[in-house]
Amino acid sequence: MTGSEEVRCMLMRGGTSKGAYFLAGDLPAGPAARDDLLLRVMGSPDPRQIDGLGGAHPLTSKVAVVSASEDPEADVDYLFLQVAVDRPVVTDRQNCGNILAGVGPFAVERGLVAAGDGETSVRIRMLNTGESAVATFATPGGRVDYTGHAEISGVPGTAAPVVIEFPPGRKPLLPTGNVRDTVAGTTVTCVDNGMPTVLVAASALGVTGYETPKDLEENLALADRLHEIRLAAGGLMGLGDVETATVPKLSLLAPPRAGGAVATRTFIPVRCHTSIGVLGAAGVAAGLRLPGGVGEGIARLPDHGDRLRIEHPTGFLEIDAGVDPGADGNPPAVRRTAVVRTARKIFDGTVFPRAAAVPAQPQGGNDGPAPR
């Protein structure tokens, strides 16, 4: 990258999130310089992000960094970065399955992957977790087509589907080794199906699980309980001190109200998601398949097939989740996870970040006459 402070960037909606997509080579190589630039690009720290691309919410303050992969089993590498809105923080401690939906189309747009005539599949290595995904999307005539008839809750209108398949990960589905744990006096199920997630019955926290995100965010007693649970669960799941981390996510579970398998309210980690993330839904779906988990007695599972409808504040997300419950001493394991998302290119061009802070000048000395 040159020192001109202008960067090639594509703004995309991926699933129910929105973010800035960059080629790795267009950003500084060092994490500190890269993160400083991204804070200025997004307009953080500022609750409104008025001087940058961010939309004043964690779901619209995200970044994808994409490059050609050296792994023979992947086409591109994808690094997800969450840019805090009102704090000068950029973190890579989580992944994002919604922003993932735009990675394949972006890779084709930037020439990292040659498009097929009809549809294209892009093998993606997710650097945050070391796991992989395959995104398949329409490319008639060798060009990405964002128009289509797929609908996803939380996004107005329709767009072309992006089918994302997640091969079974290498991490254990149950990080604690238990289907149920007691954390901060609350029974939970801790799962990791691409994202460390803690499942809690909403009723155990004195709420219904049907409240609006705004109402839940304004419940200070609930916020204190969730914070306590998250810190304790993070240590139990082997994540260490998660005080400043964005994982694990917490999902509150309640009986479904609209024909789905379960109703959810997910915290990311303080704000309540207006829908649910792809990987958060993958964790919920896998957790519901575990006999003895906290979802037992809450969820209504279908009699056949892997597909589950996860209800959330603005609709639902359908996801295929097949789980082997384990036997003969073998732990439970995920067989298959797949989801349909959509993505759309919003703009492609050059972003001009806010100027870097000028170091304070030392006091003292004769710098000329005092201002009048």
Side-chain angles (χ1 to χ4, degrees), residues 347-369:
F347 84 69
D348 186 7
T350 302
V351 62
F352 297 86
R354 181 182 69 234
V358 178
Q361 297 296 318
Q363 299 297 312
N366 185 6
D367 295 325

Side-chain angles (χ1 to χ4, degrees), residues 28-53:
R34 178 201 67 200
D35 293 353
D36 173 73
L37 174 66
L38 293 177
L39 287 167
R40 293 184 284 119
V41 164
M42 302 305 285
S44 297
D46 172 38
R48 294 185 298 159
Q49 292 182 316
I50 195 66
D51 208 24
L53 294 180

Side-chain angles (χ1 to χ4, degrees), residues 134 162-167 193 278 282 306-308 317-322 334 336-341:
V134 179
V162 179
V163 179
I164 305 174
E165 182 105 15
F166 298 95
N193 189 19
V278 170
D306 291 338
R307 181 154 299 181
L308 295 178
L317 183 150
E318 288 192 337
I319 188 164
D320 290 356
V334 174
R336 178 176 182 267
T337 305
V339 66
V340 175
R341 297 276 83 188

Side-chain angles (χ1 to χ4, degrees), residues 180-343:
R180 287 187 183 227
D181 291 286
T182 299
V183 176
T186 304
T187 301
V188 304
T189 294
C190 300
V191 296
D192 188 346
N193 189 19
M195 171 92 69
T197 305
V198 181
L199 309 183
V200 190
S203 59
L205 298 178
V207 295
T208 66
Y210 309 125
E211 294 86 351
T212 67
K214 181 176 183 293
D215 287 343
L216 290 173
E217 289 177 358
E218 292 175 350
N219 185 334
L220 300 184
L222 176 66
D224 289 342
R225 289 285 305 278
L226 293 175
H227 182 69
E228 185 181 12
I229 292 169
R230 201 175 73 83
L231 293 186
L236 201 63
M237 297 171 77
L239 300 173
D241 183 0
V242 297
E243 177 72 48
T244 60
T246 56
V247 290
K249 309 297 190 192
L250 275 70
S251 276
L252 310 188
L253 307 183
R257 303 179 92 183
V262 73
T264 61
R265 297 294 186 268
T266 301
F267 289 81
I268 54 172
V270 177
R271 301 292 299 271
C272 183
H273 207 309
T274 55
S275 56
I276 189 172
V278 170
L279 296 173
V284 170
L288 297 184
R289 296 287 190 186
L290 296 171
V294 296
E296 197 168 69
I298 297 175
R300 298 172 188 163
L301 301 182
D303 293 331
H304 305 288
D306 291 338
R307 181 154 299 181
L308 295 178
R309 176 173 287 194
I310 308 297
E311 298 177 8
H312 57 68
T314 51
F316 63 88
L317 183 150
E318 288 192 337
I319 188 164
D320 290 356
V323 174
D324 180 350
D328 300 325
N330 295 316
V334 174
R335 290 187 285 101
R336 178 176 182 267
T337 305
V339 66
V340 175
R341 297 276 83 188
T342 65

